[in-house]
Amino acid sequence: MAGSRGRILVTPRSVTRDGHPALELLREAGFEVTLSAPGRLPAEEDLRALLPGCIGYLAGVEPVSAAVLRAAPGLRVISRNGAGVDNIDLQAAAALGISVLRTPGANARGVAELTWGLILALARSIPQSDAALKRGEWLRREGIELEGRTLGIAGCGSVGRQVACFGASFGMRVLAFDPVPDPAFSAGPGFRYAGLEEVLAGSAVLSLHCPPAADGPLLDVARLDCLPAGALVINTARAELVDDEALLRALDSGRLGGYAADVFRKEPPGDDPLAWHPRVIATPHLGGFTRESVDRAVTAAVESLLAQLKRLSGAYSAQDH
């Protein structure tokens, strides 16, 4: 494009498929916008073909390896349309002088509401009942009521806090674990922070809202054994938070009452046994996929990208004089 200030790659699936008005801000600022394949998560070879020559990158959840970053020597800024950046090799980005930005909280409401949809679906076997009825079967599964039970929150950030508040409104006690608890936050009189082991031991319902750790799954064999018999686990954060094999054994034995997952190690999950397990409710990474969340996240990511490119442009101009 003649007179372009540089090229920006855009890969979030909802944006490549449906577009978004915020992309016009990039074009109005003089940047050329390149979209990856519509509605598809780009693979590493796609990124290695598309990123060279780009100065900016509006990124989704696709893995961004060191090799991808090294193949794009002109890249200066990556802006995520979400809070998580564990899909990006941050060490390589720092070494290459690439800024990595995120949009914390932009999709928190959407993720929190889906989390509660999954909690209710597990507690009352809603998908299984619907599927049975449509097969012509009158299948009535006994459910549980949530009032008076304990909701455990692992990760009490912007999403976890909203999930905790919803839980309190259902009359649940809420125990929350967070490495850096916010003493100013409370979901209500039944809320308190606690250590991870206490949260696990007390949770009739456990909801995961934290990034994965480098030393392995948060829910490994030992920690799954800490949960009360019949506990429900909801994961709208990251697939790496759970030990898949240990989780499958707990579901098969009936020790775990159910699992709901919006995230998988491979997406789409294909023949992943977790996605097909009768005690599992699976959704295709819908957490932040609401009209409102997408709008907030994309707009914030574009604005952050533009602001950082402007700062870098000013810094380079100052160095020239």
Side-chain angles (χ1 to χ4, degrees), residues 151 153 156 173-177 185-195 198-199:
L151 169 65
I153 306 285
C156 202
R173 296 183 294 270
V174 183
L175 290 178
F177 167 75
F185 172 74
S186 175
F191 171 89
R192 67 182 175 88
Y193 287 103
E198 183 181 356
V199 169

PDB file of all heavy atoms in Angstrom, residues 151 153 156 173-177 185-195 198-199:
ATOM      1  N   LEU A 151     -18.314 -22.938  46.963  1.00  0.00           N
ATOM      2  CA  LEU A 151     -17.709 -22.693  45.652  1.00  0.00           C
ATOM      3  C   LEU A 151     -16.248 -22.336  45.860  1.00  0.00           C
ATOM      4  O   LEU A 151     -15.928 -21.386  46.583  1.00  0.00           O
ATOM      5  CB  LEU A 151     -18.427 -21.545  44.943  1.00  0.00           C
ATOM      6  CG  LEU A 151     -17.775 -20.986  43.676  1.00  0.00           C
ATOM      7  CD1 LEU A 151     -17.741 -22.027  42.564  1.00  0.00           C
ATOM      8  CD2 LEU A 151     -18.491 -19.723  43.201  1.00  0.00           C
ATOM      9  N   ILE A 153     -12.700 -21.043  44.212  1.00  0.00           N
ATOM     10  CA  ILE A 153     -12.173 -20.267  43.084  1.00  0.00           C
ATOM     11  C   ILE A 153     -10.658 -20.373  43.109  1.00  0.00           C
ATOM     12  O   ILE A 153     -10.022 -19.987  44.095  1.00  0.00           O
ATOM     13  CB  ILE A 153     -12.570 -18.778  43.187  1.00  0.00           C
ATOM     14  CG1 ILE A 153     -14.077 -18.607  43.330  1.00  0.00           C
ATOM     15  CG2 ILE A 153     -12.021 -17.993  42.003  1.00  0.00           C
ATOM     16  CD1 ILE A 153     -14.860 -18.829  42.090  1.00  0.00           C
ATOM     17  N   CYS A 156      -8.319 -15.512  41.671  1.00  0.00           N
ATOM     18  CA  CYS A 156      -9.382 -14.539  41.943  1.00  0.00           C
ATOM     19  C   CYS A 156      -9.050 -13.192  41.312  1.00  0.00           C
ATOM     20  O   CYS A 156      -8.976 -12.156  41.982  1.00  0.00           O
ATOM     21  CB  CYS A 156      -9.598 -14.400  43.451  1.00  0.00           C
ATOM     22  SG  CYS A 156     -11.239 -13.764  43.906  1.00  0.00           S
ATOM     23  N   ARG A 173     -21.232 -20.461  49.993  1.00  0.00           N
ATOM     24  CA  ARG A 173     -20.003 -20.006  50.629  1.00  0.00           C
ATOM     25  C   ARG A 173     -18.925 -19.985  49.547  1.00  0.00           C
ATOM     26  O   ARG A 173     -18.905 -20.870  48.682  1.00  0.00           O
ATOM     27  CB  ARG A 173     -19.589 -20.946  51.759  1.00  0.00           C
ATOM     28  CG  ARG A 173     -20.583 -21.000  52.917  1.00  0.00           C
ATOM     29  CD  ARG A 173     -20.054 -21.900  54.033  1.00  0.00           C
ATOM     30  NE  ARG A 173     -19.982 -23.279  53.579  1.00  0.00           N
ATOM     31  CZ  ARG A 173     -20.966 -24.156  53.696  1.00  0.00           C
ATOM     32  NH1 ARG A 173     -22.118 -23.778  54.241  1.00  0.00           N
ATOM     33  NH2 ARG A 173     -20.818 -25.392  53.271  1.00  0.00           N
ATOM     34  N   VAL A 174     -18.031 -19.021  49.591  1.00  0.00           N
ATOM     35  CA  VAL A 174     -17.013 -18.904  48.544  1.00  0.00           C
ATOM     36  C   VAL A 174     -15.631 -18.856  49.175  1.00  0.00           C
ATOM     37  O   VAL A 174     -15.337 -17.968  49.991  1.00  0.00           O
ATOM     38  CB  VAL A 174     -17.233 -17.644  47.673  1.00  0.00           C
ATOM     39  CG1 VAL A 174     -16.199 -17.598  46.549  1.00  0.00           C
ATOM     40  CG2 VAL A 174     -18.637 -17.611  47.095  1.00  0.00           C
ATOM     41  N   LEU A 175     -14.788 -19.824  48.797  1.00  0.00           N
ATOM     42  CA  LEU A 175     -13.380 -19.836  49.196  1.00  0.00           C
ATOM     43  C   LEU A 175     -12.544 -19.542  47.958  1.00  0.00           C
ATOM     44  O   LEU A 175     -12.746 -20.178  46.911  1.00  0.00           O
ATOM     45  CB  LEU A 175     -12.974 -21.203  49.743  1.00  0.00           C
ATOM     46  CG  LEU A 175     -13.535 -21.633  51.093  1.00  0.00           C
ATOM     47  CD1 LEU A 175     -13.057 -23.042  51.428  1.00  0.00           C
ATOM     48  CD2 LEU A 175     -13.100 -20.669  52.183  1.00  0.00           C
ATOM     49  N   ALA A 176     -11.629 -18.608  48.070  1.00  0.00           N
ATOM     50  CA  ALA A 176     -10.832 -18.220  46.905  1.00  0.00           C
ATOM     51  C   ALA A 176      -9.351 -18.323  47.210  1.00  0.00           C
ATOM     52  O   ALA A 176      -8.890 -17.857  48.260  1.00  0.00           O
ATOM     53  CB  ALA A 176     -11.176 -16.801  46.474  1.00  0.00           C
ATOM     54  N   PHE A 177      -8.625 -18.922  46.276  1.00  0.00           N
ATOM     55  CA  PHE A 177      -7.168 -18.927  46.353  1.00  0.00           C
ATOM     56  C   PHE A 177      -6.614 -18.010  45.286  1.00  0.00           C
ATOM     57  O   PHE A 177      -7.031 -18.062  44.123  1.00  0.00           O
ATOM     58  CB  PHE A 177      -6.607 -20.332  46.135  1.00  0.00           C
ATOM     59  CG  PHE A 177      -5.118 -20.322  45.886  1.00  0.00           C
ATOM     60  CD1 PHE A 177      -4.233 -20.109  46.930  1.00  0.00           C
ATOM     61  CD2 PHE A 177      -4.608 -20.480  44.600  1.00  0.00           C
ATOM     62  CE1 PHE A 177      -2.860 -20.072  46.702  1.00  0.00           C
ATOM     63  CE2 PHE A 177      -3.243 -20.448  44.365  1.00  0.00           C
ATOM     64  CZ  PHE A 177      -2.366 -20.248  45.415  1.00  0.00           C
ATOM     65  N   PHE A 185     -11.208  -6.756  48.156  1.00  0.00           N
ATOM     66  CA  PHE A 185     -12.322  -7.431  47.487  1.00  0.00           C
ATOM     67  C   PHE A 185     -13.041  -8.385  48.422  1.00  0.00           C
ATOM     68  O   PHE A 185     -12.423  -9.129  49.177  1.00  0.00           O
ATOM     69  CB  PHE A 185     -11.834  -8.230  46.275  1.00  0.00           C
ATOM     70  CG  PHE A 185     -12.910  -9.100  45.677  1.00  0.00           C
ATOM     71  CD1 PHE A 185     -13.934  -8.541  44.933  1.00  0.00           C
ATOM     72  CD2 PHE A 185     -12.929 -10.478  45.909  1.00  0.00           C
ATOM     73  CE1 PHE A 185     -14.952  -9.336  44.394  1.00  0.00           C
ATOM     74  CE2 PHE A 185     -13.924 -11.276  45.385  1.00  0.00           C
ATOM     75  CZ  PHE A 185     -14.942 -10.706  44.628  1.00  0.00           C
ATOM     76  N   SER A 186     -14.361  -8.385  48.348  1.00  0.00           N
ATOM     77  CA  SER A 186     -15.179  -9.395  49.015  1.00  0.00           C
ATOM     78  C   SER A 186     -16.428  -9.620  48.189  1.00  0.00           C
ATOM     79  O   SER A 186     -17.047  -8.671  47.721  1.00  0.00           O
ATOM     80  CB  SER A 186     -15.565  -8.954  50.431  1.00  0.00           C
ATOM     81  OG  SER A 186     -16.453  -9.898  51.009  1.00  0.00           O
ATOM     82  N   ALA A 187     -16.792 -10.889  48.009  1.00  0.00           N
ATOM     83  CA  ALA A 187     -18.010 -11.213  47.275  1.00  0.00           C
ATOM     84  C   ALA A 187     -19.234 -11.206  48.177  1.00  0.00           C
ATOM     85  O   ALA A 187     -20.351 -11.344  47.694  1.00  0.00           O
ATOM     86  CB  ALA A 187     -17.868 -12.585  46.615  1.00  0.00           C
ATOM     87  N   GLY A 188     -19.021 -11.049  49.487  1.00  0.00           N
ATOM     88  CA  GLY A 188     -20.141 -11.064  50.423  1.00  0.00           C
ATOM     89  C   GLY A 188     -19.724 -11.686  51.737  1.00  0.00           C
ATOM     90  O   GLY A 188     -18.560 -12.078  51.924  1.00  0.00           O
ATOM     91  N   PRO A 189     -20.654 -11.818  52.679  1.00  0.00           N
ATOM     92  CA  PRO A 189     -20.310 -12.319  54.018  1.00  0.00           C
ATOM     93  C   PRO A 189     -19.802 -13.758  54.034  1.00  0.00           C
ATOM     94  O   PRO A 189     -19.102 -14.161  54.960  1.00  0.00           O
ATOM     95  CB  PRO A 189     -21.631 -12.199  54.795  1.00  0.00           C
ATOM     96  CG  PRO A 189     -22.703 -12.108  53.756  1.00  0.00           C
ATOM     97  CD  PRO A 189     -22.079 -11.432  52.583  1.00  0.00           C
ATOM     98  N   GLY A 190     -20.150 -14.564  53.024  1.00  0.00           N
ATOM     99  CA  GLY A 190     -19.684 -15.952  52.984  1.00  0.00           C
ATOM    100  C   GLY A 190     -18.392 -16.135  52.235  1.00  0.00           C
ATOM    101  O   GLY A 190     -17.991 -17.269  51.952  1.00  0.00           O
ATOM    102  N   PHE A 191     -17.698 -15.032  51.938  1.00  0.00           N
ATOM    103  CA  PHE A 191     -16.467 -15.093  51.127  1.00  0.00           C
ATOM    104  C   PHE A 191     -15.238 -14.939  52.001  1.00  0.00           C
ATOM    105  O   PHE A 191     -15.193 -14.136  52.922  1.00  0.00           O
ATOM    106  CB  PHE A 191     -16.470 -13.968  50.088  1.00  0.00           C
ATOM    107  CG  PHE A 191     -15.165 -13.823  49.349  1.00  0.00           C
ATOM    108  CD1 PHE A 191     -14.925 -14.534  48.185  1.00  0.00           C
ATOM    109  CD2 PHE A 191     -14.162 -12.971  49.819  1.00  0.00           C
ATOM    110  CE1 PHE A 191     -13.722 -14.407  47.494  1.00  0.00           C
ATOM    111  CE2 PHE A 191     -12.960 -12.832  49.132  1.00  0.00           C
ATOM    112  CZ  PHE A 191     -12.743 -13.558  47.971  1.00  0.00           C
ATOM    113  N   ARG A 192     -14.201 -15.712  51.683  1.00  0.00           N
ATOM    114  CA  ARG A 192     -12.877 -15.462  52.270  1.00  0.00           C
ATOM    115  C   ARG A 192     -11.805 -16.100  51.390  1.00  0.00           C
ATOM    116  O   ARG A 192     -12.063 -17.038  50.629  1.00  0.00           O
ATOM    117  CB  ARG A 192     -12.771 -15.963  53.697  1.00  0.00           C
ATOM    118  CG  ARG A 192     -12.832 -17.456  53.880  1.00  0.00           C
ATOM    119  CD  ARG A 192     -12.752 -17.798  55.374  1.00  0.00           C
ATOM    120  NE  ARG A 192     -12.928 -19.214  55.611  1.00  0.00           N
ATOM    121  CZ  ARG A 192     -11.946 -20.106  55.611  1.00  0.00           C
ATOM    122  NH1 ARG A 192     -10.691 -19.713  55.375  1.00  0.00           N
ATOM    123  NH2 ARG A 192     -12.184 -21.384  55.835  1.00  0.00           N
ATOM    124  N   TYR A 193     -10.587 -15.552  51.517  1.00  0.00           N
ATOM    125  CA  TYR A 193      -9.431 -16.149  50.860  1.00  0.00           C
ATOM    126  C   TYR A 193      -8.911 -17.306  51.721  1.00  0.00           C
ATOM    127  O   TYR A 193      -9.040 -17.296  52.949  1.00  0.00           O
ATOM    128  CB  TYR A 193      -8.322 -15.118  50.681  1.00  0.00           C
ATOM    129  CG  TYR A 193      -8.584 -14.091  49.606  1.00  0.00           C
ATOM    130  CD1 TYR A 193      -8.979 -12.794  49.940  1.00  0.00           C
ATOM    131  CD2 TYR A 193      -8.420 -14.406  48.260  1.00  0.00           C
ATOM    132  CE1 TYR A 193      -9.212 -11.845  48.954  1.00  0.00           C
ATOM    133  CE2 TYR A 193      -8.648 -13.465  47.268  1.00  0.00           C
ATOM    134  CZ  TYR A 193      -9.046 -12.189  47.629  1.00  0.00           C
ATOM    135  OH  TYR A 193      -9.280 -11.257  46.651  1.00  0.00           O
ATOM    136  N   ALA A 194      -8.316 -18.279  51.066  1.00  0.00           N
ATOM    137  CA  ALA A 194      -7.752 -19.428  51.780  1.00  0.00           C
ATOM    138  C   ALA A 194      -6.610 -19.998  50.957  1.00  0.00           C
ATOM    139  O   ALA A 194      -6.439 -19.673  49.778  1.00  0.00           O
ATOM    140  CB  ALA A 194      -8.826 -20.487  52.025  1.00  0.00           C
ATOM    141  N   GLY A 195      -5.822 -20.867  51.576  1.00  0.00           N
ATOM    142  CA  GLY A 195      -4.768 -21.564  50.857  1.00  0.00           C
ATOM    143  C   GLY A 195      -5.356 -22.547  49.863  1.00  0.00           C
ATOM    144  O   GLY A 195      -6.510 -22.987  49.997  1.00  0.00           O
ATOM    145  N   GLU A 198      -6.851 -25.849  51.291  1.00  0.00           N
ATOM    146  CA  GLU A 198      -8.129 -25.659  51.971  1.00  0.00           C
ATOM    147  C   GLU A 198      -9.251 -25.439  50.966  1.00  0.00           C
ATOM    148  O   GLU A 198     -10.366 -25.957  51.134  1.00  0.00           O
ATOM    149  CB  GLU A 198      -8.049 -24.488  52.942  1.00  0.00           C
ATOM    150  CG  GLU A 198      -9.344 -24.296  53.733  1.00  0.00           C
ATOM    151  CD  GLU A 198      -9.311 -23.116  54.694  1.00  0.00           C
ATOM    152  OE1 GLU A 198      -8.244 -22.470  54.825  1.00  0.00           O
ATOM    153  OE2 GLU A 198     -10.367 -22.827  55.290  1.00  0.00           O
ATOM    154  N   VAL A 199      -8.971 -24.674  49.916  1.00  0.00           N
ATOM    155  CA  VAL A 199      -9.978 -24.437  48.878  1.00  0.00           C
ATOM    156  C   VAL A 199     -10.389 -25.765  48.240  1.00  0.00           C
ATOM    157  O   VAL A 199     -11.580 -26.061  48.082  1.00  0.00           O
ATOM    158  CB  VAL A 199      -9.452 -23.458  47.811  1.00  0.00           C
ATOM    159  CG1 VAL A 199     -10.385 -23.415  46.609  1.00  0.00           C
ATOM    160  CG2 VAL A 199      -9.309 -22.058  48.410  1.00  0.00           C
TER     161      VAL A 199
END
